Amino acid sequence: MNITKPSLQYEVNSEKTQGIPVIVVAAGSSTRMGQNKQLISICGLPVLVRTLKAFQQCESVSNIILVASSETVLEYQRLCDSYMLTKVSDIVEGGSNRQESVLCGINRLKDSDEFALIHDGARPLVSEDVINRVIDGLKKYSAVTPVVKVKDTIKEIDQNGVVIKTVKRDALVQVQTPQGVNVKQYLSAIKNKDLGLFTDDVSIFEAAGCKVLTVEGDYKNIKITTPEDVLVAEAFLKGDNVE
């Protein structure tokens, strides 16, 4: 293992493989969970390990760049070693918000990487089918995101909690990750932008006037945010008899 500058960044594995790189963002504070959600066990495996294994086992993925907080870099490196996550090529310290963390990961890409996937570390149930649909979408579009249709009735309310109107849900979707981006166009789109305003990666392309393709997501591809989400994820896994 080579320690690279700046400190707390690691090049774990420098092997070259075919496919597209993925940046896994796991640098958040887990405020709503009350503990580091990446390390919570789901059916015997930490959330982050399940997430990384999904990309480790996907032939379309070349390597994984893991973005962590300064406090967890070493711990995540030990996890990668323990679970033999050999596609994790770099572990890098993140920034003060999501997009700054993503940029820290993008800065570790090779010059030859034209496209990249960006995924939430707290989405451990992502399927290979969803990953490949996003990758296929990048053949024609510079930004791609998986989505699922909204099932519930959606209402817009005012600051006092009073309903303003019922929103038509036919055109509404819930966004998931991984999101795929053209790296050069992403870097161009973020120039002179306040990165703290964007909660997902393809929103930057929207703000720059670029078209974003949606592909079919998966209702099981949930984000672990609250203790209830852990129970839901375990129910999905037990239903699929996944180890």
Side-chain angles (χ1 to χ4, degrees):
M1 179 185 70
N2 298 320
I3 299 178
T4 58
K5 294 182 178 180
S7 62
L8 295 180
Q9 299 188 27
Y10 294 84
E11 181 181 333
V12 181
N13 175 19
S14 59
E15 294 181 3
K16 294 181 179 180
T17 53
Q18 299 296 316
I20 187 171
V22 57
I23 297 164
V24 174
V25 184
S29 59
S30 302
T31 302
R32 282 173 286 183
M33 185 63 75
Q35 59 179 303
N36 187 350
K37 59 189 176 185
Q38 306 292 346
L39 301 178
I40 291 175
S41 176
I42 294 183
C43 293
L45 284 179
V47 167
L48 182 60
V49 171
R50 285 197 177 276
T51 300
L52 296 174
K53 281 173 67 72
F55 293 98
Q56 171 83 20
Q57 296 167 358
C58 182
E59 293 184 359
S60 302
V61 171
S62 60
N63 64 292
I64 304 165
I65 297 170
L66 177 58
V67 184
S69 66
S70 60
E71 296 83 7
T72 57
V73 169
L74 290 173
E75 188 166 13
Y76 290 173
Q77 194 270 326
R78 286 193 290 268
L79 275 181
C80 292
D81 286 344
S82 298
Y83 288 93
M84 295 181 288
L85 297 166
T86 56
K87 281 189 179 180
V88 178
S89 60
D90 297 83
I91 304 176
V92 57
E93 183 180 353
S96 61
N97 57 54
R98 178 188 171 82
Q99 293 309 322
E100 286 185 6
S101 293
V102 169
L103 188 57
C104 290
I106 284 181
N107 287 337
R108 300 302 290 271
L109 294 171
K110 299 188 295 291
D111 291 340
S112 59
D113 290 326
E114 183 178 0
F115 302 101
L117 302 180
I118 305 167
H119 187 67
D120 298 321
R123 288 187 188 270
L125 305 188
V126 61
S127 69
E128 187 169 357
D129 286 342
V130 170
I131 296 169
N132 286 330
R133 282 196 285 269
V134 174
I135 293 173
D136 287 342
L138 285 171
K139 295 174 182 177
K140 294 183 178 180
Y141 286 80
S142 58
V144 183
T145 183
V147 300
V148 291
K149 291 184 177 181
V150 173
K151 294 180 178 181
D152 298 324
T153 298
I154 305 297
K155 294 185 182 293
E156 181 182 349
I157 61 174
D158 64 19
Q159 60 185 4
N160 297 315
V162 177
V163 172
I164 297 174
K165 64 179 179 180
T166 299
V167 182
K168 291 185 178 180
R169 65 186 178 188
D170 295 347
L172 298 179
V173 292
Q174 182 177 335
V175 174
Q176 300 181 335
T177 67
Q179 297 183 339
V181 300
N182 178 295
V183 176
K184 287 184 179 179
Q185 291 188 38
Y186 175 90
L187 292 173
S188 176
I190 65 172
K191 288 181 180 179
N192 302 318
K193 295 289 195 308
D194 181 354
L195 297 183
L197 298 176
F198 300 98
T199 56
D200 78 326
D201 311 295
V202 298
S203 294
I204 294 174
F205 285 81
E206 295 174 50
C210 301
K211 291 183 178 180
V212 176
L213 176 69
T214 63
V215 297
E216 182 184 357
D218 185 345
Y219 286 105
K220 293 181 180 180
N221 185 20
I222 63 171
K223 186 175 182 180
I224 305 299
T225 304
T226 66
E228 291 77 14
D229 297 327
V230 175
L231 299 176
V232 173
E234 288 185 334
F236 279 141
L237 287 170
K238 290 174 182 178
D240 290 342
N241 296 315
V242 174
E243 294 295 330

